[in-house]
Amino acid sequence: MPSRLPSSARLRAILAAPGLIAALALAGCAGGAAGDDAAADPDALVVYNAQHEQLTEEWADAFTAETGIEVVLRNGDDSELANQLVQEGTASKADVFLTENSPAMSLVEEAGLFAPVDESTLELVPEQFRPASGLWTGIAARSTVLVYNPELISESELPASLLDLADPEWKGKWGAAPAKADFQAIVSAVLATQGEDGARDWLEGMAENAVEYRNNIVTMKAVNAGEVPMGIIYHYYWFRDQDAAAEDSANTDLHYFGNQDPGAFVSISGGGVLENAPHADEAQQFLAFIAGEQGQKILGEGYSFEYPVASDVAAKPELPPLAELDAPVIDPSTLNGPAVIELMTEAGLL
């Protein structure tokens, strides 16, 4: 029976096959994965995607419907794909790189692998949501929050700062997922605001005090179940669960640190065009589409509960406005992922 999938979705369905995923992983170790992607259609746009797959699928399908340009997604996590791009260098067949957090973008930027983003695209994004270099741009945002169980700790008893969680009084009272790129991005804000010595001290306190979990969702579940009173996560995990059956968050609430505290860090999801992109013009079009009104509405009105950052598109009404979060002001291109990994490893967290 002929496939009923749209052509772009069909390409991505092929790449999602378990056997091909294994082949791509092996090829990635050898630096040849992008060539395998492009082989599906040599004229297709190849996107190395560390953003949420469902969201990027929606972006890609809408872009293809509007332009006729096919999109192939190579999915992975932030650090995996950033390091893949650095390994491949100018030989990469990737056209576009999308991330959940900006340290991965900085790694590729520092390797000199991004082309300047078209000025017309940059103009869609406020300056605080993109690096000063103009070599990539923000496409979405997520806020750091403290999820807590009011049955175990009242709001008045919560720590005043993320930094306080390193104090001995909080030993065993909070959870986090240090192995995940999400939390490592939060640590990058600690490093950016507190310096290396301050970040090292905080991580040593975290190693003593925190209960480690596999990811943000498991951390939230643990707080909901009363395993720990508090946990550090990104906001959208809680809002998504609340929007569903609240099965994993019914017993919890959120606390926003504000006051430009590292715990109020807003992580920027990035998008950039590779310097040696085989389809450079189409890649710039794709990035402009994501940052444009249609792409930001797909984000803002969809399932993700992340914040749109461009084209004056509003976030879901349930979310507190970005402007009211009083996040620390950090140029996202200065966030140092490799230094964070080194400090976290030194502290025994990785």
Side-chain angles (χ1 to χ4, degrees), residues 143 258-267 322-330:
S143 174
N259 299 313
Q260 298 189 29
D261 189 82
F265 171 62
V266 170
S267 183
L322 268 175
E324 297 179 7
L325 298 182
D326 198 14
V329 179
I330 303 171

Side-chain angles (χ1 to χ4, degrees), residues 55-63 98 139 289-290 295 298-299:
L55 171 61
T56 310
E57 286 272 358
E58 292 172 0
W59 275 335
D61 285 337
F63 176 74
L98 304 180
I139 55 173
F289 177 85
I290 289 175
I298 289 171
L299 166 67

Side-chain angles (χ1 to χ4, degrees), residues 183-209:
F183 190 81
Q184 292 162 20
I186 296 168
V187 177
S188 74
V190 176
L191 176 60
T193 59
Q194 308 303 309
E196 185 174 324
D197 290 341
R200 181 178 288 108
D201 290 344
W202 187 78
L203 288 169
E204 288 174 357
M206 176 184 172
E208 287 291 323
N209 294 348

Side-chain angles (χ1 to χ4, degrees), residues 92-170:
S92 180
K93 301 302 182 184
D95 295 298
V96 175
F97 183 36
L98 304 180
T99 67
E100 290 188 353
N101 299 286
S102 56
M105 300 299 293
S106 297
L107 182 66
V108 177
E109 178 182 354
E110 289 167 8
L113 297 176
F114 280 136
V117 175
D118 284 351
E119 189 64 32
S120 58
T121 301
L122 293 177
E123 290 174 356
L124 299 172
V125 185
E127 289 185 1
Q128 67 265 37
F129 301 130
R130 53 182 168 87
S133 66
L135 290 174
W136 54 274
T137 185
I139 55 173
R142 61 274 299 280
S143 174
T144 309
V145 293
L146 183 74
V147 60
Y148 69 99
N149 188 322
E151 292 295 319
L152 301 179
I153 187 169
S154 68
E155 186 169 16
S156 64
E157 296 173 311
L158 296 175
S161 168
L162 176 78
L163 302 175
D164 293 342
L165 292 172
D167 295 342
E169 67 179 288
W170 300 109

Side-chain angles (χ1 to χ4, degrees), residues 46-70:
V46 176
V47 177
Y48 276 27
N49 176 51
Q51 244 296 344
H52 297 289
E53 292 182 24
Q54 180 178 332
L55 171 61
T56 310
E57 286 272 358
E58 292 172 0
W59 275 335
D61 285 337
F63 176 74
T64 299
E66 180 173 294
T67 66
I69 299 169
E70 302 288 355

